[in-house]
Amino acid sequence: MAKILVYGGKTGWIGQKLSSLLADPSSHGYPPNSRVIIGDARLENRESLLAEITSHSPTHVLNAAGVTGRPNVDWCESNKESTIRTNVVGTLNLADICSASNIHCTVFATGCIFEYDAAHQLGSGVGFTESDVANFDDSFYSKTKGMVEQLLSCYQNCLVLRVRMPISDDLSGRNFITKILKYDRIVNIPNSMTVLTELLPASLVMSSSNLSGIYNFCNPGVISHNEMLDLYVKYIDPAYTYTNFTLEEQSKILAAGRSNNELDCSKLMDAVGEKCGINNIKDACEKVFQRMRVNLEADGTYPDKLFKRGGVA
């Protein structure tokens, strides 16, 4: 029997999704009769964290807790100490405690630590691999995440998943689709992205298999902001419109820079791609909007309560 301890499972967007998926742990490769526990301790409080882990004696820990900022990562620029406590101190506390007790630890990290460069040019199809070191620190959030990833790589018990621009089948405020729907203007840059409906079950298979190391945790390929919103128009709201602007224009309204990159997902696909049915990002997003239409009809949002774009953010 496995004991799976989830951090971020009470209030976190991804953590709550993981908790729901774990209603049947055995369907994701964990032994029959495995138990799921939602963690209470604050990761930055090492004493209470250690006490909780000692009390439950988990075999696997999932860390989906962290600070991304509300409404966006600009928040981290003016709340640096809070960002450090959770994203740096807390994450390392958990990894270190798990390592000392030989507990497998999965960390839902970020791939927003890279930007296109001379060796990984926009449109080239050459993505950053797991061995590449972060080259983007124009936001404090990304800077802390890049630093922590290098330290996490020293822990042999850790599985580090680089999530990017996560996408869900609804209009949750944390969904990348919902975020760009709110903007009056968007940049149009192809990026690697993570479709949670496909990737979160894969993360549990990876955890139950005790995989470790860094993985680019995205659907293969890239998709642009315009392509994403065109799918929204196609499947959800034909009346929706959007306007583009340049990176230079975008930088004038943001406190922090934004990461744009392509991640090479070969390692992930070799490990679980076929087993878990991970699709190319463009095919995956078609399926997202097909499911979203059904979900919005079911909850009464479609067609009369659809989101209407507000101010620039």
Side-chain angles (χ1 to χ4, degrees):
M1 181 183 77
K3 283 187 181 180
I4 308 147
L5 180 57
V6 183
Y7 286 100
K10 284 194 171 181
T11 60
W13 181 47
I14 288 179
Q16 288 177 322
K17 289 182 178 296
L18 290 169
S19 299
S20 296
L21 287 171
L22 285 167
D24 181 13
S26 64
S27 66
H28 305 291
Y30 296 103
N33 302 316
S34 293
R35 288 184 55 204
V36 179
I37 305 153
I38 307 301
D40 288 314
R42 301 286 299 180
L43 301 191
E44 60 267 35
N45 188 331
R46 188 179 178 97
E47 289 185 2
S48 63
L49 183 62
L50 177 59
E52 182 168 73
I53 291 173
T54 301
S55 172
H56 292 302
S57 298
T59 57
H60 297 78
V61 168
L62 305 177
N63 180 13
V67 169
T68 57
R70 295 292 182 92
N72 53 49
V73 295
D74 284 352
W75 179 92
C76 298
E77 300 299 313
S78 54
N79 294 272
K80 292 182 177 179
E81 292 183 0
S82 295
T83 303
I84 290 170
R85 288 189 193 102
T86 302
N87 291 355
V88 180
V89 177
T91 300
L92 293 176
N93 273 343
L94 184 58
D96 190 60
I97 291 170
C98 287
S99 177
S101 299
N102 196 31
I103 300 167
H104 187 272
C105 180
T106 300
V107 179
F108 290 84
T110 184
C112 294
I113 57 176
F114 298 102
E115 62 178 343
Y116 289 114
D117 61 14
H120 310 82
Q121 295 187 31
L122 175 65
S124 68
V126 178
F128 292 91
T129 69
E130 286 79 1
S131 62
D132 286 318
V133 177
N135 71 345
F136 176 80
D137 61 2
D138 285 352
S139 76
F140 190 72
Y141 168 82
S142 293
K143 183 175 183 177
T144 61
K145 289 290 191 174
M147 294 168 60
V148 167
E149 182 183 275
Q150 292 185 56
L151 297 174
L152 287 174
S153 67
C154 299
Y155 290 99
Q156 300 302 307
N157 63 309
C158 267
L159 172 63
V160 181
L161 303 178
R162 291 173 173 169
V163 177
R164 285 217 77 228
M165 299 177 170
I167 296 165
S168 60
D169 300 345
D170 53 26
L171 290 178
S172 161
R174 308 301 287 176
N175 184 358
F176 177 74
I177 296 167
T178 308
K179 290 180 180 181
I180 62 174
L181 283 175
K182 295 179 181 180
Y183 303 162
D184 280 339
R185 295 170 292 168
I186 58 167
V187 294
N188 183 37
I189 301 176
N191 271 279
S192 288
M193 301 187 191
T194 302
V195 173
L196 297 178
T197 304
E198 296 188 6
L199 273 295
L200 289 187
S203 73
L204 298 180
V205 171
M206 297 170 79
S207 167
S208 67
S209 301
N210 294 317
L211 298 185
S212 61
I214 299 170
Y215 283 80
N216 289 333
F217 199 60
C218 306
N219 295 76
V222 293
I223 189 168
S224 71
H225 297 59
N226 283 15
E227 288 175 303
M228 188 71 73
L229 291 181
D230 287 344
L231 287 173
Y232 181 81
V233 171
K234 176 181 177 180
Y235 287 103
I236 310 297
D237 186 1
Y240 182 85
T241 61
Y242 60 87
T243 303
N244 291 127
F245 67 158
T246 66
L247 284 172
E248 291 74 20
E249 291 170 323
Q250 182 195 51
S251 66
K252 295 177 182 178
I253 64 168
L254 299 175
R258 298 294 191 266
S259 163
N260 294 289
N261 66 60
E262 177 174 356
L263 301 182
D264 184 330
C265 297
S266 300
K267 181 180 177 182
L268 175 71
M269 296 301 288
D270 288 344
V272 295
E274 183 175 355
K275 180 178 182 179
C276 296
I278 299 173
N279 289 289
N280 175 279
I281 186 61
K282 293 186 180 181
D283 294 334
C285 285
E286 285 272 356
K287 296 176 185 295
V288 163
F289 283 100
Q290 291 167 8
R291 293 190 298 264
M292 183 184 290
R293 171 67 176 263
V294 173
N295 293 339
L296 295 178
E297 288 178 347
D299 69 16
T301 301
Y302 181 89
D304 297 327
K305 298 179 182 179
L306 292 173
F307 176 81
K308 300 302 178 184
R309 187 174 61 245
V312 176

